[in-house]
Every structure is written in structure tokens, then in C-alpha cells.
Amino acid sequence: MTIGVAGCEGEGVDRDVNGTSAAPSAPVSARPEDSGPITKAKMRLVLDGVTRDVGAPPSDPEAASMPDSSKYPLAECFVAYKGFDTAASTLDVDRTDALAAALTGRGWTEAKKRDERKAPDGTVDVVGAVFKKRGWTVVMEYRLFSDNRTLSLNAFDDACVKKVRAAEDATSSN
């Protein structure tokens, strides 16, 4: 039997029933790092981290900003990333493959397989996919407009969307 005792210095010392020192136990985490609810702040970190890890450009703050939630209630449910092709970071179809691999590597499930659309010249000009994890959905979209490429990730809290839509339905039926 092991008993934990705090000494005068505040250091934890484990002693067995005979009073001799026992091996210190490892600290116990309350829960694994990637568990519990996903908040908007955590989702922002996920989107920023996964795009940084695959070498995508930083999110354009103006393009990724959400509209005022008092005017557009669903905005409170969303976190967005929008990156534009730059000289330092070219967006292409390979980047979408890397992004999908990075998300699934972090435990996201690809709920809708990547859909690719080709332009008349055979170039892939649109890629879309949907990923899900613990009540959140991430919609990935890559678009090629002539020489301008964009990559967007729109993440939304499924329960929040359902709640906002229910409230909108209730007010529209009155």
C-alpha cells in the first residue's frame, strides 16, 4: 500500500505502510490532450496549425473573418481559414492531399471523399472534402481561378448550427 504525503517543502513523497520511500508516481493527466469539447478557440488553433504544418500561407484575416453574428446568427458557429496563393507558398492539389492527410492524422474522419473537378484543359481546378470530429465539421475547398489559387477551410460546430437553425425556424413560423 502506498500513501502520498506532502512534506514541508511542498514536495510530494510517497511512502509505503512501513514508512520507507516508494518510487514517485507519474503525474496523472485529467484527460488526454486531444479530448473534451472543441471550442472555437481550439478550432482556430487546429486550422492555423494544420495549414502551417502543410506549408499553406497564413489565413487572410479579412477574407476569413466572419460577418457580424447579430446580422448573421450562424457566424457564431463558424471558424474559417482562407489562404491565397503567394510566391512563398504555392497552393495546388498536392497541398490539399497533404492537408487531408494532416487532418486525418489528427483524428478527423473524412466524411465525404475528396471531389475533384477538372477544367477543359485537364487541370484540377476545384477540390472539395468534408471532415468530422467530435461534433465539428470542416469543409475544405481549393479553387484555381486562372493563375489565382485559394484554399479555404470552414469549420462549424454542428450543435451550434442546429440550435441557431431551430431558433430561426421558431421565429419564422411565428
Side-chain angles (χ1 to χ4, degrees):
M1 184 165 122
T2 301
I3 303 171
V5 179
C8 296
E9 299 297 315
E11 296 176 33
V13 179
D14 289 334
R15 302 215 179 264
D16 64 18
V17 290
N18 298 325
T20 60
S21 294
S25 58
V28 178
S29 175
R31 69 174 139 202
E33 180 182 331
D34 190 26
S35 67
I38 300 174
T39 62
K40 282 181 73 170
K42 281 184 183 178
M43 184 52 65
R44 171 87 273 142
L45 293 173
V46 167
L47 296 185
D48 290 345
V50 75
T51 53
R52 182 181 53 249
D53 290 353
V54 301
S59 185
D60 179 272
E62 189 174 322
S65 66
M66 287 288 129
D68 180 17
S69 61
S70 65
K71 200 172 189 179
Y72 301 99
L74 279 176
E76 74 181 65
C77 306
F78 280 80
V79 178
Y81 161 89
K82 183 127 185 179
F84 296 97
D85 207 18
T86 65
S89 181
T90 302
L91 294 171
D92 56 19
V93 175
D94 292 339
R95 187 94 52 203
T96 66
D97 293 339
L99 187 57
L103 283 167
T104 57
R106 287 175 170 83
W108 289 83
T109 302
E110 196 165 348
K112 180 178 180 265
K113 290 291 181 192
R114 272 165 281 160
D115 183 30
E116 293 184 357
R117 186 182 80 188
K118 291 186 178 184
D121 69 356
T123 306
V124 175
D125 63 351
V126 176
V127 176
V130 177
F131 301 86
K132 291 190 165 279
K133 182 177 179 179
R134 293 198 329 264
W136 277 78
T137 300
V138 174
V139 178
M140 173 182 69
E141 185 176 76
Y142 161 82
R143 288 194 175 268
L144 168 63
F145 302 104
S146 60
D147 287 334
N148 180 19
R149 296 173 184 93
T150 64
L151 177 64
S152 64
L153 297 171
N154 291 300
F156 57 90
D157 180 336
D158 300 330
C160 178
V161 168
K162 196 179 279 188
K163 178 180 151 192
V164 169
R165 285 193 174 149
E168 288 174 345
D169 289 346
T171 42
S172 67
S173 65
N174 290 336

